[in-house]
């Protein structure tokens, strides 16, 4: 079903604050400049698209032009785009709408265009018409032209250029100003994913930020893969929601994830999947400015929530799932903490450590009880706003810490051993403050590479770096972006995600930039075909790679500073084992540790499924499921019975345990039973399969008559009765 983009009242309200020239885009340079004020940082400027307070005169308000769509807006090919604006001017006669390919078309077309009242109506800030974009097929900029004719035969022409993409997922982009209304909204938060509804399809979590007037449109959202907002959401928040939501089953007595959020406000919240508060929450925490992490800190079987903050000069909090404080916490750092933590068992004592960076440029390591790890803290540089990550860089079984630091001075990426000593070859200069590193084995050689955005120091020229574990640059990298002299800078601050998106078993790197683009490169630095993808504004958000609709193919999800969520359907078959760094801070718990809690954590096996290959409809049939986890973690099973029914996530069960589950099919046919597992850290296996058929019914009328006859004359037909019992056609 086509998505009809409805502007409604918001088009009129926001049209009042539009400059009269907003619909006159005619060149790519103008298109590039529409978002210039968000190019540097959302913290530096809170106005974009030319919106200003409502101080324009009424004459400006009714100036002719196109209010919506906005210049540079992105739509899915096949969407019906509403065109909103004003045609009123002296001696009005009629108006027309047309479209052309590119930002300066040479030809104009009216295919798919529908005018209101055939263009004879003089309209003030209302719907002018609709464009059914199914008449085009290519990903490209397209320009919509409004021509207003006067009785004197003079005409006024106004253009607006938008971008159409056929690879966008149905019902996306989702966001401002259609689905998310109010003052202009941005989405800075990384994409969070979790199957909150236990239907096998991950939901999408994010927070919104009002960038025009503070406080009136800050919400936490949870969406389904089809663009529907989950019941109970969104939740209105007092502070801007710039940090990632965290999805985690913090309470081991339940089988579903909770949602942790509220960052940048004055409280930490934990909600059930339906948006209701978990008992004991929220907890007041002043000035929490970053995403939370979740880990079993005290190894009691329940997960704890780790919260860095700027509170009290910089504190780290640790809460049990029931909102009580963990013994030994909070810990006062003495300098504000503005980035997420990373967590892993650094010293291999069975308990995780917490790694964080502070505003003074120090990296801290704390034991599970809040005491300082020997050899720490270590000075990186003068400011840390990027989140640390943890990985076994050298393949020796020991974990290292990687951090990007620096602001007023040199910008560098550093790496330390678990004991606080520097890794040989580090630090290296990346030239860009606040960039978020990640790690992955790009070339499948067993050694990890470090990935991070950068710049030529003290210039507007952006770069993207990939280093070997020893700090040397990988062959074919670094990528240097050209600069056109405008204020639009191709800087990359977001954390790169890594996974196989095209099904070739090699991994690709996906990361957004401040130049309205989401890039994808192969491991050898060549650009993936069909990329970069165009976004309506800069990208602060970290993307995610997943199969969100369980169609077995890859989707990539990201948010833009235009206040929209984007999802692209890709041709690659989704393979969980080929996802090297699939989301912000690696996993849904935001541990920041490559392969989760330790570098040895591995994916569970696909389940083996055993049971009868044939059965009877309307009679319950039992099947056995079994899988192994290399780390001996407990396993959850998700079973798809092939008839639109599923088990949701069940468990946990011991690794290797045979799990019996029964199902009843109502119609004859051939079915495929599918099952997958996930471990305690959220790593999901590939699917296991079993083909079955249901050829026989237990309620065939002829057999019902025979059953009644044989039941009445039990000894009258002994041979026939034995035959039917052997065939399973008779149950007495």
């Amino acid at each position: 079903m086509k998505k009809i983009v409805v502007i409604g009242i918001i088009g009129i309200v926001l049209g009042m604050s539009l400059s009269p020239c907003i619909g006159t885009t005619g060149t790519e340079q103008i298109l590039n400049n529409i978002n210039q004020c968000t190019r540097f940082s959302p913290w530096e400027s809170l106005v974009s698209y030319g919106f200003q307070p409502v101080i324009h005169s009424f004459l400006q308000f009714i100036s002719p032009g196109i209010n919506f769509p906005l210049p540079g807006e992105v739509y899915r090919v096949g969407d019906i785009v509403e065109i909103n604006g004003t045609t009123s001017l002296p001696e009005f006669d009629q108006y027309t709408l047309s479209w052309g390919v590119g930002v300066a078309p040479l030809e104009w077309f009216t295919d798919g265009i529908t005018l209101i009242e055939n263009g004879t109506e003089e309209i003030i800030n209302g719907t002018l018409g609709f464009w059914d974009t199914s008449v085009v097929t290519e990903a490209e900029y397209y320009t919509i032209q409004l021509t207003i004719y006067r009785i004197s035969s003079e005409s006024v022409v106004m253009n607006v250029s938008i971008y159409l993409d056929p690879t966008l997922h149905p019902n996306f982009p989702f966001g401002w100003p259609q689905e998310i209304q109010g003052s202009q909204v941005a989405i800075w938060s990384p994409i969070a994913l979790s199957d909150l509804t236990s239907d096998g399809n991950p939901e999408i979590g994010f927070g919104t930020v009002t960038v025009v007037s503070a406080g009136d449109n800050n919400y936490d959202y949870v969406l389904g893969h089809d663009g529907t907002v989950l019941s109970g959401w969104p939740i209105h928040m007092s502070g801007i929601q710039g940090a990632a939501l965290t999805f985690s089953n913090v309470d081991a007595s339940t089988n579903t994830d909770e949602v942790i959020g509220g960052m940048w406000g004055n409280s930490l919240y934990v909600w059930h999947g339906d948006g209701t508060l978990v008992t004991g929450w929220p907890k007041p925490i002043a000035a929490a400015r970053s995403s939370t992490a979740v880990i079993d800190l005290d190894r009691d079987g329940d997960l704890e929530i780790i919260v860095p903050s700027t509170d009290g000069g910089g504190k780290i909090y640790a809460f049990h799932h029931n909102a009580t404080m963990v013994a030994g916490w909070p810990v006062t750092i003495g300098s504000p903490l503005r980035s997420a933590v990373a967590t892993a068992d650094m010293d291999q004592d069975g308990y995780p450590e917490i790694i964080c960076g502070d505003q003074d440029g120090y990296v801290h390591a704390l034991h599970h009880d809040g005491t300082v790890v020997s050899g720490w803290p270590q000075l990186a540089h003068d400011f840390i706003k990027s989140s640390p990550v943890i990985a076994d860089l050298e393949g020796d079984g020991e974990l290292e810490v990687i951090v990007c630091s620096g602001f007023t001075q040199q910008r560098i990426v550093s790496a330390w051993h678990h004991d606080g000593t520097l890794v040989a070859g580090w630090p290296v200069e990346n030239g860009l403050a606040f960039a978020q590193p990640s790690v992955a084995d790009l070339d499948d050689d067993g050694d990890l590479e470090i990935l991070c955005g950068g710049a030529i120091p003290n210039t507007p020229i952006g770069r993207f770096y990939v280093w070997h574990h020893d700090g040397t640059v990988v062959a074919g990298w670094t990528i240097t972006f050209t600069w056109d002299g405008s204020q639009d800078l191709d800087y990359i601050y977001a954390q790169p995600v890594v996974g196989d998106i095209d099904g070739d078993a090699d991994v690709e790197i996906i990361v957004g930039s401040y130049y309205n683009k989401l890039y994808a490169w192969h491991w050898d630095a060549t650009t993936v075909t069909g990329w970069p993808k165009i976004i309506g504004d800069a990208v602060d958000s970290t993307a995610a790679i997943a199969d969100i609709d369980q169609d077995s193919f890859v989707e990539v999800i990201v948010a833009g500073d235009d206040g929209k969520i984007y999802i692209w359907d890709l041709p690659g078959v989704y393979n969980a084992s080929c996802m090297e760094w699939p989301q912000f801070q690696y996993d849904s718990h935001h541990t920041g540790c490559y392969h989760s809690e330790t570098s040895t954590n591995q994916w569970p096996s696909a389940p083996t499924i055993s049971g009868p290959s044939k059965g009877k409809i309307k009679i319950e049939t039992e099947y056995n499921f079994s899988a192994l986890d290399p780390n001996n973690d407990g396993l959850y099973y998700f079973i798809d019975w092939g008839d639109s029914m599923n088990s949701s996530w069940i468990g946990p069960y011991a690794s290797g345990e045979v799990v019996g589950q029964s199902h009843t099919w109502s119609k004859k046919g051939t079915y495929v039973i599918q099952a997958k597992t996930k471990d305690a850290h959220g790593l999901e296996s590939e699917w296991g399969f079993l083909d079955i058929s249901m050829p026989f019914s237990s309620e065939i009328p002829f057999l019902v008559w025979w059953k009644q006859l044989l039941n009445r004359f039990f000894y009258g037909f002994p041979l026939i009765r034995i035959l039917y019992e052997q065939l399973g056609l008779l149950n007495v």
Side-chain angles (χ1 to χ4, degrees):
M1 185 175 69
K2 295 175 181 175
K3 173 185 175 187
I4 300 179
V5 183
V6 178
I7 303 301
I9 292 297
I10 189 161
I12 297 175
V13 175
L14 290 173
M16 296 179 65
S17 65
L18 293 175
S19 169
C21 64
I22 193 168
T24 60
T25 300
T27 66
E28 190 165 12
Q29 181 62 53
I30 296 174
L31 225 167
N32 288 338
N33 285 337
I34 62 175
N35 305 316
Q36 59 181 315
C37 52
T38 60
R39 273 312 146 242
F40 301 102
S41 171
W43 295 274
E44 296 174 351
S45 178
L46 294 179
V47 182
S48 65
Y49 281 122
F51 288 115
Q52 302 293 336
V54 184
I55 57 176
H56 296 294
S57 69
F58 182 71
L59 288 177
Q60 288 176 308
F61 168 50
I62 63 170
S63 295
I66 298 174
N67 296 335
F68 293 98
L70 295 172
E73 261 197 289
V74 179
Y75 294 86
R76 181 176 182 265
V77 168
D79 282 354
I80 297 176
V81 178
E82 180 186 350
I83 303 162
N84 178 291
T86 294
T87 63
S88 179
L89 79 174
E91 297 186 334
F92 170 83
D93 183 25
Q94 63 177 324
Y95 69 90
T96 62
L97 292 170
S98 55
W99 59 270
V101 180
V103 295
L106 299 177
E107 279 189 279
W108 296 94
F109 308 92
T110 58
D111 305 55
I113 294 286
T114 302
L115 298 176
I116 300 299
E117 299 296 333
N118 294 316
T120 61
E121 189 84 15
E122 191 170 2
I123 296 172
I124 298 176
N125 292 309
T127 300
L128 307 181
F130 298 91
W131 180 26
D132 183 349
T133 62
S134 61
V135 297
V136 302
T137 58
E138 300 297 321
E140 180 60 86
Y141 281 103
Y142 294 84
T143 299
I144 299 170
Q145 184 171 91
L146 167 64
T147 304
I148 308 173
Y149 296 92
R150 298 179 176 182
I151 296 174
S152 63
S153 298
E154 295 178 353
S155 61
V156 176
V157 178
M158 299 172 188
N159 297 340
V160 62
S161 295
I162 64 174
Y163 192 84
L164 297 176
D165 189 340
T167 63
L168 281 164
H169 191 67
N171 299 321
F172 287 86
F174 171 99
W176 185 85
Q178 290 88 24
E179 295 88 359
I180 299 175
Q181 298 182 12
S183 302
Q184 190 195 347
V185 171
I187 303 174
W188 301 341
S189 64
I191 295 297
L193 298 175
S194 175
D195 183 11
L196 288 181
T197 58
S198 300
D199 63 353
N201 301 310
E203 277 72 46
I204 305 160
F206 62 93
T208 66
V209 174
T210 300
V211 295
V212 174
S213 57
D216 69 339
N217 206 51
N218 306 305
Y219 288 87
D220 283 329
Y221 274 83
V222 179
L223 302 182
H225 68 88
D226 58 357
T228 57
V229 179
L230 260 64
S231 178
W233 301 87
I235 295 174
H236 186 263
M237 306 300 295
S238 60
I240 60 177
Q241 298 300 290
L245 296 180
T246 303
F247 292 134
S248 177
N249 185 197
V250 292
D251 183 356
S253 66
T254 69
N255 287 331
T256 58
D257 280 359
E258 286 78 40
V259 185
I260 305 164
M263 299 296 90
W264 293 60
N266 293 316
S267 296
L268 176 68
Y269 293 81
V270 180
W271 299 282
H272 295 293
D274 61 3
T276 58
L277 279 167
V278 174
T279 301
W281 299 92
K283 298 294 289 186
I285 298 178
R289 292 290 183 264
S290 57
S291 306
T292 59
V294 173
I295 198 164
D296 186 358
L297 196 62
D298 51 12
R299 293 306 190 217
D300 65 350
D302 283 333
L303 296 170
E304 281 70 49
I305 303 169
I306 314 301
V307 190
S309 79
T310 61
D311 184 20
K315 289 182 180 180
I316 300 182
Y317 295 83
F319 291 98
H320 292 294
H321 72 275
N322 61 4
T324 60
M325 194 75 70
V326 177
W329 301 83
V331 173
T332 299
I333 299 298
S335 177
L337 305 170
R338 300 185 180 275
S339 63
V341 303
T343 178
D345 185 2
M346 299 288 295
D347 55 10
Q348 301 184 20
D349 67 348
Y351 291 90
E353 278 68 47
I354 307 299
I355 310 296
C356 65
D358 70 28
Q359 188 170 297
D360 291 335
Y362 283 90
V363 180
H364 302 261
L366 304 172
H367 288 298
H368 70 283
D369 60 1
T371 58
V372 177
V373 176
S374 178
W376 300 85
Q378 290 293 326
L379 178 63
H381 223 298
D382 64 333
F383 196 107
I384 298 173
K385 202 172 185 301
S386 67
S387 303
V389 297
I390 301 171
D392 180 7
L393 292 182
E394 299 175 319
D396 59 359
E398 303 286 343
L399 294 174
E400 282 76 41
V401 175
I402 304 100
V403 173
C404 177
S405 64
F407 180 56
T408 62
Q409 303 175 33
Q410 190 182 30
R411 287 89 170 185
I412 61 174
V413 177
S414 304
W416 295 271
H417 296 292
H418 71 279
D419 61 1
T421 58
L422 277 170
V423 177
W426 299 86
V428 297
E429 188 171 21
N430 75 314
L432 185 66
F434 306 160
Q436 297 272 354
S438 61
V439 299
D441 183 3
L442 293 183
D443 49 11
D444 199 28
D445 65 352
D447 287 332
L448 296 180
E449 284 74 43
I450 297 91
L451 304 78
C452 193
I456 297 177
N458 303 313
T459 76
I461 299 175
R463 284 182 163 176
F464 187 80
Y465 290 93
V466 177
W467 299 281
H468 289 295
H469 69 274
D470 60 2
T472 59
V473 176
V474 174
W477 302 84
T478 300
I479 291 176
T480 300
F481 303 105
T482 58
W483 180 52
D484 61 7
S486 71
Q487 295 187 51
D488 301 314
L489 306 181
D490 218 344
Y491 282 172
I492 291 176
Y493 293 102
Q495 189 174 63
V497 294
V498 183
D500 179 13
I501 65 170
D502 56 10
D504 63 357
D506 290 327
V507 296
E508 286 74 43
I509 302 165
I510 298 95
V511 67
S513 84
Y514 262 41
Y515 204 57
N516 298 31
K517 293 178 181 178
L518 186 70
Y519 290 102
W521 298 290
H522 294 291
W523 64 273
D524 60 359
T526 58
T527 300
V528 177
T529 301
W531 294 74
K533 301 297 184 183
I534 302 300
I535 311 293
D537 203 338
V539 180
D540 283 286
S541 170
T542 295
I545 310 171
D547 177 11
I548 63 164
D549 53 7
Q550 299 301 307
D551 64 351
S552 299
F553 293 99
V554 172
E555 284 84 38
V556 170
I557 310 100
V558 79
D561 286 2
D562 58 350
K564 289 183 171 64
I565 299 294
Y566 295 81
I567 303 177
W568 292 270
D569 291 322
L570 304 181
V573 174
Y574 182 80
N575 184 346
S577 64
C578 292
M579 299 299 143
E580 284 285 296
W581 192 281
Q583 59 182 297
F584 175 68
Q585 288 297 85
Y586 184 74
D587 51 27
S588 62
H589 291 182
H590 299 153
T591 63
C593 182
Y594 179 78
H595 281 179
S596 199
E597 286 196 46
T598 73
S599 60
T600 59
N601 190 43
Q602 300 176 53
W603 275 268
S605 68
T608 58
I609 308 173
S610 60
S613 60
K614 293 184 179 181
K616 307 173 203 175
I617 62 172
K618 300 183 181 180
I619 292 182
E620 192 172 71
T621 308
E622 184 174 14
Y623 291 87
N624 291 324
F625 302 82
S626 180
L628 296 174
D629 185 81
N631 302 97
N632 209 34
D633 290 329
L635 293 177
Y636 297 85
Y637 287 77
F638 184 92
I639 303 167
D640 182 342
W641 297 106
D643 60 351
S644 301
M645 302 294 290
N646 63 71
S647 65
S648 73
W649 287 107
I650 57 173
Y653 300 95
S655 174
E657 180 180 349
V658 176
V659 179
Q661 291 290 306
S662 298
H663 187 66
T664 302
W665 286 264
S666 61
K667 295 181 181 180
K668 291 190 291 183
T670 299
Y671 298 93
V672 178
I673 302 175
Q674 303 181 76
K676 62 179 178 178
T677 59
K678 69 177 178 180
D679 67 11
H681 314 294
L683 292 185
E684 293 186 12
S685 73
E686 297 184 37
W687 289 93
F689 303 93
L690 179 66
D691 295 325
I692 64 167
S693 61
M694 291 288 143
F696 299 120
S697 170
S698 63
E699 298 297 335
I700 299 174
F702 177 72
L703 294 180
V704 172
W705 180 80
W706 267 109
K707 285 169 63 176
Q708 294 173 345
L709 181 63
L710 295 178
N711 286 337
R712 185 171 182 180
F713 302 102
F714 187 86
Y715 297 103
F717 307 95
L719 294 179
I720 296 176
R721 181 180 184 83
I722 292 171
L723 175 62
Y724 271 70
E725 287 179 337
Q726 291 298 316
L727 290 175
L729 298 176
L730 188 62
N731 291 317
V732 180

